[in-house]
Structures are given as C-alpha cells and as structure tokens.
C-alpha cells in the first residue's frame, strides 16, 4: 500500500515569526520572502501556494508595486499556467483591500483561491478588518461562494 504523498506547499511571507508558525504546522513547506523567489518557484507545480501581500516589513502597500504579493498574482494572470491549474491558492494577508484584489483576480482566471488571514490577529480574534469595504466584500463572497474563510 502506497503512503500518501506529502503535499507541495509554497509559502510567501516576509515575517520570520509567521514563517516559523507556518513551518511548524507544515514542516515540508518551502518558505520564500520575495516576489522574485516566489515567481521562480511557481514555474514548478505546487499543491498549495500561500501568498502574503505586504512584504519587506511594510504594511498596507500599494497593490501596483512590483514587490508585493499582488505582483505574483499579476504574473499568474499574465498567461495560462496549466501546471498550476489544480493548485489551491490561499491569500493569507491581513490587508483586506489587497486580499480582495488578489482573490478576485485569481478567481477570474479560474484558479482555486480563498482568503484566510494567518498570523497575528486583532483583539477581536478576526484576522481581517471586516469593517472595511474590502473586508465586507470578502465576508460576503465567502458566504455566497464558500471559497473564503
């Protein structure tokens, strides 16, 4: 009887504390800190890809920048990526506006995607600011599509 294959998991995040927590739960995951590293590895097939938006120790960065998680999403959407067709994408940023943009772009391109903030949470226990328009949209999408946690 064959043993189940370990899933191939890619984790983009710049925070060592979040990476340590993620790697403790997913010891075989590959951690990258930059857009360039992530895109290079996305040339290969993955079972799961976890994407943060705000990198380089910054928060709430412009989604048009070339050094944020949205840059990875733009790369994914530029042309068909058949080797990633069955990949599950998890947007784990706590930036609700960026999460909304990332999820919507990937959904439009037919990728399997969900938003699920990871790491430090607010005192309310929620990862995203559901008072913001994007947060409310993510919450609504999750209720109506079942794809966003």
């Amino acid at each position: 009887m064959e043993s189940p294959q370990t899933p191939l998991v890619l984790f983009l995040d710049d925070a060592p504390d979040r990476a340590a927590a993620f790697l403790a739960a997913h010891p075989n995951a590959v951690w990258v800190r930059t857009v360039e590293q992530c895109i290079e590895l996305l040339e290969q097939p993955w079972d799961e890809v976890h994407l943060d938006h705000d990198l380089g120790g910054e928060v709430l960065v412009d989604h048009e920048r070339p050094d944020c998680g949205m840059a990875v999403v733009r790369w994914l959407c530029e042309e068909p990526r058949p080797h990633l067709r069955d990949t599950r994408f998890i947007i784990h940023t706590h930036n609700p506006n960026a999460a909304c943009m990332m999820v919507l772009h990937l959904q439009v391109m037919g990728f399997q995607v969900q938003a699920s903030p990871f790491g430090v949470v607010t005192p309310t226990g929620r990862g995203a600011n559901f008072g913001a328009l994007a947060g409310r949209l993510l919450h609504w999408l999750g209720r109506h599509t079942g794809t966003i946690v």
Side-chain angles (χ1 to χ4, degrees):
M1 179 181 203
E2 287 185 36
S3 63
Q5 185 177 353
T6 302
L8 299 173
V9 178
L10 180 61
F11 183 74
L12 170 64
D13 200 300
D14 63 325
D17 57 335
R18 282 192 305 265
F22 187 85
L23 293 171
H26 304 79
N28 295 316
V30 176
W31 173 37
V32 294
R33 296 179 185 211
T34 68
V35 169
E36 294 79 16
Q37 293 170 329
C38 189
I39 288 174
E40 181 178 327
L41 290 176
L42 283 171
E43 295 287 353
Q44 307 167 31
W46 294 90
D47 296 310
E48 288 183 13
V49 175
H50 297 252
L51 299 174
D52 192 12
H53 180 267
D54 303 318
L55 303 172
E58 297 182 70
V59 295
L60 302 175
V61 303
D62 184 338
H63 68 273
E64 296 292 329
R65 287 176 45 167
D67 60 347
C68 67
M70 188 64 192
V72 174
V73 171
R74 285 192 298 272
W75 179 85
L76 287 163
C77 296
E78 282 176 356
E79 61 186 62
R81 310 280 178 196
H83 65 288
L84 298 172
R85 182 183 62 237
D86 296 327
T87 302
R88 187 170 144 222
F89 289 88
I90 294 91
I91 308 304
H92 68 263
T93 183
H94 285 264
N95 179 335
N97 295 330
C100 184
M101 294 282 294
M102 294 169 78
V103 166
L104 291 175
H105 276 77
L106 290 171
Q107 280 183 336
V108 165
M109 295 304 293
F111 288 104
Q112 300 173 49
V113 60
Q114 71 181 57
S116 183
F118 177 81
V120 178
V121 295
T122 64
T124 64
R126 290 189 172 179
N129 176 3
F130 284 98
L133 177 59
R136 291 194 313 267
L137 179 58
L138 284 171
H139 185 70
W140 182 87
L141 283 170
R143 285 193 327 229
H144 294 288
T145 65
T147 59
I148 301 173
V149 175

